[in-house]
Amino acid sequence: MSAVAFDPRVPDLRAPAQVVSWLATGEPEGPMPEAEALAEAGAVRDGALHPALEAIREITGAPLFRLTLERGNRIGHGWFAAGRVVLAHPVDDGLARLTSFSAAFLLDALARLNDVGPRPRVEPAVRIGLEPGALARALAERSPLPAGIADPDAAAAFAGLIGGLREHWCVTVAWDPADGALGGRRLEVIDTNGGYWLVIPDDPTVELWPTTPTRVYRALCDLFPTSAEVRTWQTT
């Protein structure tokens, strides 16, 4: 079976991660990886990329904004330009997926990739403050002990969070900012069987705020820049 599967109608390509990276960004430089498999799948014709993949490269080469998708230890990337989005992200068995679609579907795609759906309301609704390093260790070890939370209510809530941990994910959107504008936004979420938590920076610590699926979905909406925030939009 070929290591590459390609549907030009979407377009949608599944291939080893290094192939997807090369197709999306032109890197690493050098010979085309899996050239025979790409040709067999129809992604390459007479040594040239299929037009759908060339269109993807046009978007990734000059995007208005970029996305970084972190889900556990898996990292994906996205690019937006000319009303279309390109996403490249890991899938099963060491493969990655490269696809492009209308920007109208970006929010739904992010919600599906991060399994945003019904969850219980966190009870009691306690806010938890702790050091970023302690949070990272607790999530990695799936143990509340590294957090060292003194407040008993917050400690109990955090123990419940760790005990019901489903996933820890982040979406970051970055762009070339117009004068006086921010250069990006980030949403960090902890998904548990008992509900959602937002990770809110509060230098030098972070706070965990209980939230709802509706608010998570709205927070995804709020990540994207307006035309006034992106320098490139102001010059086109």
Side-chain angles (χ1 to χ4, degrees), residues 8-25:
R9 297 168 297 178
V10 178
D12 188 347
L13 180 136
R14 296 179 188 238
Q18 71 270 22
V19 176
V20 167
S21 176
W22 183 86
L23 286 168
T25 66

Side-chain angles (χ1 to χ4, degrees), residues 5 18 27 78 85 90 133 158 169 215:
Q18 71 270 22
E27 297 175 350
V85 174
F158 190 71
W169 57 266
R215 289 177 179 171

Side-chain angles (χ1 to χ4, degrees), residues 68-72 74-76 114 168-172 186:
T68 301
L69 316 175
E70 303 169 71
R71 186 167 173 81
R74 303 176 298 283
I75 299 178
N114 289 301
H168 173 216
W169 57 266
C170 309
V171 177
T172 305
R186 175 182 173 89

Side-chain angles (χ1 to χ4, degrees), residues 106-117:
L106 175 56
L107 182 59
D108 287 341
L110 293 177
R112 287 197 304 273
L113 284 172
N114 289 301
D115 192 26
V116 177

Side-chain angles (χ1 to χ4, degrees), residues 3 5 14 30 49 62 71 75-76 93 107 144 152 162 178 188 193 201 203 220:
R14 296 179 188 238
L49 291 178
R71 186 167 173 81
I75 299 178
D93 300 325
L107 182 59
I162 294 296
E188 185 173 357
N193 292 330
D203 191 38
L220 282 171

Side-chain angles (χ1 to χ4, degrees), residues 2-99:
S2 172
V4 177
F6 178 55
D7 182 350
R9 297 168 297 178
V10 178
D12 188 347
L13 180 136
R14 296 179 188 238
Q18 71 270 22
V19 176
V20 167
S21 176
W22 183 86
L23 286 168
T25 66
E27 297 175 350
E29 296 180 358
M32 181 186 299
E34 298 282 356
E36 291 186 7
L38 286 168
E40 181 182 342
V44 172
R45 296 177 179 174
D46 299 324
L49 291 178
H50 189 283
L53 296 176
E54 287 289 4
I56 281 177
R57 280 194 162 185
E58 290 181 8
I59 294 171
T60 62
L64 285 173
F65 63 79
R66 296 176 175 84
L67 302 98
T68 301
L69 316 175
E70 303 169 71
R71 186 167 173 81
N73 61 2
R74 303 176 298 283
I75 299 178
H77 300 279
W79 302 262
F80 166 87
R84 289 192 66 80
V85 174
V86 172
L87 290 183
H89 60 90
V91 291
D92 295 334
D93 300 325
L95 301 179
R97 182 185 185 194
L98 178 68
T99 187

